[in-house]
Amino acid sequence: MPQATVKQGYRAQAEDTSVDADVLMFTLLRQLTPFLKAQRVQKLDCSIRKLSPTRKAVIEDPISLASAISRILERLGIEYYIGGSLASSLWGESRYSEDLDLVIEITPLQSPALIQALENEFYISEIAVEDAVNGRCTSFNVISLASSEKIDLFISGNDAFSHSKMARRIQYPLTDEASIWLCSTEDIILQKLVWGKASQSEKQWRDVLGVLKVQYDNLDYSYLTDWADTLGILNLLTEAMVQAGI
């Protein structure tokens, strides 16, 4: 197989991976259907839990958990999208999920119905929900009673970027009958760059590179650069694009 031709500055995802192998891996990832990518993510997390059952922080089946909570939110008319590692795994390079992150738009009038809908299958604190919905904090947790796995639900902000992320969410098909709403490719890149800047997290950076490498043909670069400039991360986006070979 001929050597891959990449732009100067391209970075493989791991130190023990050659550039050729990295390019091939992402070429193959781009060929997967959404359904096959979801299966890949599901199998990865299940395998990690089986190989290391003490790693309880890893969600065993994030796809099924996301589907279950999504059905409830949609039935109640609560708009949401899934972000975090599950979104970046489905859009980019698959990796294990330590928790499930959702952003929701909910009013105080909707919170009792949400609590009632969740309380049979999940642990949920009425006080925590009320605090988040009324602006005393930004999020609350629910825990699956069947699997002990945690979901973080963040209340969507009232700023322009938060409104934009909710408006641009994308329906991701899991099967012919089921789908979930995901943070868009551009917005998960921007959000992870913001988080990575604050935390200096190598994990966030690798997630960004993974999404860029898989989705580079489908990205709205004007949107990316405009918001990166507004958010003060344009230098980080530029460097990420170089390392992703764009």
Side-chain angles (χ1 to χ4, degrees):
M1 179 178 292
Q3 285 192 336
T5 302
V6 295
K7 293 183 178 180
Q8 185 176 1
Y10 185 95
R11 171 184 163 180
Q13 296 295 93
E15 292 183 359
D16 61 354
T17 303
S18 69
V19 169
D20 279 355
D22 195 82
V23 171
L24 175 60
M25 180 180 73
F26 281 99
T27 300
L28 295 174
L29 280 176
R30 283 192 292 274
Q31 295 171 4
L32 295 179
T33 65
F35 173 68
L36 290 176
K37 288 210 74 175
Q39 278 194 325
R40 177 184 172 90
V41 171
Q42 194 171 38
K43 289 177 180 178
L44 174 65
D45 286 270
C46 288
S47 297
I48 290 174
R49 281 288 290 270
K50 287 179 181 177
L51 290 171
S52 183
T54 58
R55 295 191 67 172
K56 297 299 184 183
V58 176
I59 295 180
E60 186 171 6
D61 188 353
I63 300 296
S64 295
L65 190 61
S67 297
I69 193 75
S70 296
R71 285 193 298 269
I72 293 171
L73 294 172
E74 289 173 11
R75 188 172 73 244
L76 297 175
I78 297 173
E79 293 193 338
Y80 76 94
Y81 63 80
I82 293 167
S85 60
L86 181 55
S88 62
S89 290
L90 291 172
W91 291 135
E93 179 190 27
S94 305
R95 73 166 171 90
Y96 66 86
S97 302
E98 295 180 348
D99 52 23
L100 184 63
D101 294 336
L102 286 89
V103 176
I104 62 174
E105 281 189 352
I106 184 172
T107 66
L109 291 177
Q110 290 174 306
S111 58
L114 177 62
I115 293 167
Q116 185 177 19
L118 290 174
E119 61 186 1
N120 289 331
E121 298 179 51
F122 298 88
Y123 164 78
I124 183 168
S125 165
E126 183 175 348
I127 294 174
V129 174
E130 290 180 354
D131 283 346
V133 171
N134 289 291
R136 292 188 286 273
C137 59
T138 59
S139 66
F140 62 94
N141 315 122
V142 300
I143 299 173
S144 169
L145 297 176
S147 65
S148 301
E149 290 166 349
K150 181 170 68 75
I151 303 172
D152 297 327
L153 292 105
F154 296 87
I155 307 301
S156 184
N158 199 32
D159 58 284
F161 186 43
S162 295
H163 290 311
S164 180
K165 286 186 287 184
M166 186 63 73
R168 298 180 73 256
R169 63 191 182 136
I170 295 175
Q171 199 164 24
Y172 188 98
L174 298 176
T175 66
D176 291 338
E177 296 82 24
S179 62
I180 53 178
W181 288 97
L182 286 187
C183 185
S184 76
T185 51
E186 294 86 3
D187 290 322
I188 197 64
I189 290 168
L190 292 166
Q191 187 63 75
K192 282 186 168 286
L193 286 174
V194 170
W195 290 336
K197 180 180 180 180
S199 65
Q200 299 297 305
S201 169
E202 177 64 25
K203 188 185 299 181
Q204 303 290 353
W205 187 257
R206 178 167 174 165
D207 286 346
V208 168
L209 295 185
V211 178
L212 285 169
K213 289 175 181 179
V214 174
Q215 302 294 335
Y216 69 88
D217 269 344
N218 307 311
L219 295 172
D220 183 337
Y221 289 100
S222 294
Y223 179 89
L224 270 175
T225 54
D226 287 349
W227 270 112
D229 190 28
T230 299
L231 297 167
I233 53 170
L234 185 56
N235 61 324
L236 294 176
L237 174 63
T238 301
E239 179 60 25
M241 290 171 64
V242 168
Q243 293 189 17
I246 299 173

